[in-house]
Amino acid sequence: QVQLQESGPGLVKPSETLSLTCTVSGVSISTSSFYWGWIRQAPGKGLEWIGCSSYSGSTDYNPSLKIRVAISVDTSKNQFSLGLSSVTAADTAVYYCVRHNRFLEWFPDYWGQGTLVTVSS
Amino acid sequence: QSALTQPPSVSGSPGQSVTISCTGTSSDVGSYNRVSWYQQPPGTAPRLIIYEVKSRPSGVPDRFSGSRSGNTASLTISGLQAEDEADYYCSSYTTGSTLLYVFGTGTKVTVL
């Protein structure tokens, strides 16, 4: 059974870097059939796509976040990570890690449970 | 890139049908099969219920159906049940100068 699980600090100070890791189980991350991505949801708001990466490191990012975002993949640990620099209160959100599926027109099919990250001093 | 446009809320009684619209552009919703729908009950992660405009992943009841006309996609829930009460989001993507996934503004479905 495919499962994704986010981990990382729940509180980040303004101007610092938010770092999250997603641990994948039930499927190898090292396949061209999937991309691995992040989506966030501010409290009471809608969904915002952050970006995604192939297992080989080919990335795509939301243009509105591109200068602050980095997504990397660690195939040895079957994990991938998100880095978001220079955070502000506007980055407070539930962050979901997701699997983009080639066989479903590349739409995310599996999602982690989500982790709330609050930006505050 | 703007969010796709959905009505804020729809409601219906058990057994009735409700339809949610999702309006985009010819670069996203109106392009190829680039439409999906997600169901998000309160306090949970979104769940994929429709992809490629009208296909259902395994395990999704056939009460959920998708369609598209031009740049507007629609999700219909037939035989509404109490467990269908949730937020619903459409999604699409563009592949112009860069890949970009966009989501709808979200629709709250209330079962009366």
Side-chain angles (χ1 to χ4, degrees):
Chain A
Q1 181 181 357
V2 177
Q3 290 186 321
L4 287 76
Q5 178 67 58
E6 305 88 352
S7 59
L11 181 64
V12 181
K13 289 182 169 56
S15 80
E16 295 189 344
T17 296
L18 177 161
S19 297
L20 296 174
T21 296
C22 182
T23 301
V24 180
S25 59
V27 64
S28 172
I29 207 169
S30 302
T31 169
S32 60
S33 296
F34 310 119
Y35 268 54
W36 306 95
W38 294 90
I39 292 169
R40 70 181 182 179
Q41 186 172 34
K45 301 297 184 182
L47 300 164
E48 180 180 31
W49 181 74
I50 298 171
C52 62
S53 176
S54 69
Y55 77 96
S56 60
S58 175
T59 56
D60 283 287
Y61 299 129
N62 189 322
S64 68
L65 299 169
K66 187 173 184 177
I67 61 172
R68 298 195 291 129
V69 174
I71 297 175
S72 59
V73 176
D74 187 338
T75 55
S76 67
K77 296 182 179 178
N78 224 43
Q79 295 177 334
F80 62 102
S81 298
L82 169 70
L84 181 66
S85 62
S86 304
V87 297
T88 69
D91 295 309
T92 293
V94 173
Y95 286 76
Y96 297 100
C97 59
V98 301
R99 183 183 84 170
H100 290 264
N101 190 329
R102 168 189 175 188
F103 302 108
L104 303 183
E105 195 63 20
W106 292 108
F107 283 107
D109 57 350
Y110 281 92
W111 298 56
Q113 66 184 25
T115 186
L116 175 62
V117 178
T118 301
V119 178
S120 175
S121 55
Chain B
Q1 179 73 25
S2 300
L4 308 175
T5 301
Q6 298 180 232
S9 63
V10 299
S11 61
S13 299
Q16 289 185 331
S17 293
V18 296
T19 297
I20 303 168
S21 62
C22 169
T23 301
T25 70
S26 58
S27 297
D28 42 56
V29 172
S31 180
Y32 302 104
N33 289 327
R34 298 176 187 171
V35 178
S36 65
W37 289 90
Y38 294 88
Q39 177 195 57
Q40 187 178 31
T44 69
R47 169 199 180 198
L48 180 68
I49 57 172
I50 295 287
Y51 66 97
E52 290 184 353
V53 178
K54 59 182 180 180
S55 298
R56 285 185 305 277
S58 61
V60 175
D62 60 7
R63 302 184 292 104
F64 294 93
S65 62
S67 63
R68 178 181 60 190
S69 177
N71 298 334
T72 298
S74 298
L75 172 72
T76 297
I77 309 173
S78 305
L80 199 61
Q81 300 182 3
E83 66 201 52
D84 298 332
E85 188 159 293
D87 292 326
Y88 290 80
Y89 294 91
C90 60
S91 181
S92 184
Y93 64 89
T94 61
T95 59
S97 58
T98 185
L99 172 66
L100 174 61
Y101 284 85
V102 290
F103 289 93
T105 48
T107 299
K108 170 68 175 179
V109 171
T110 301
V111 182
L112 302 172

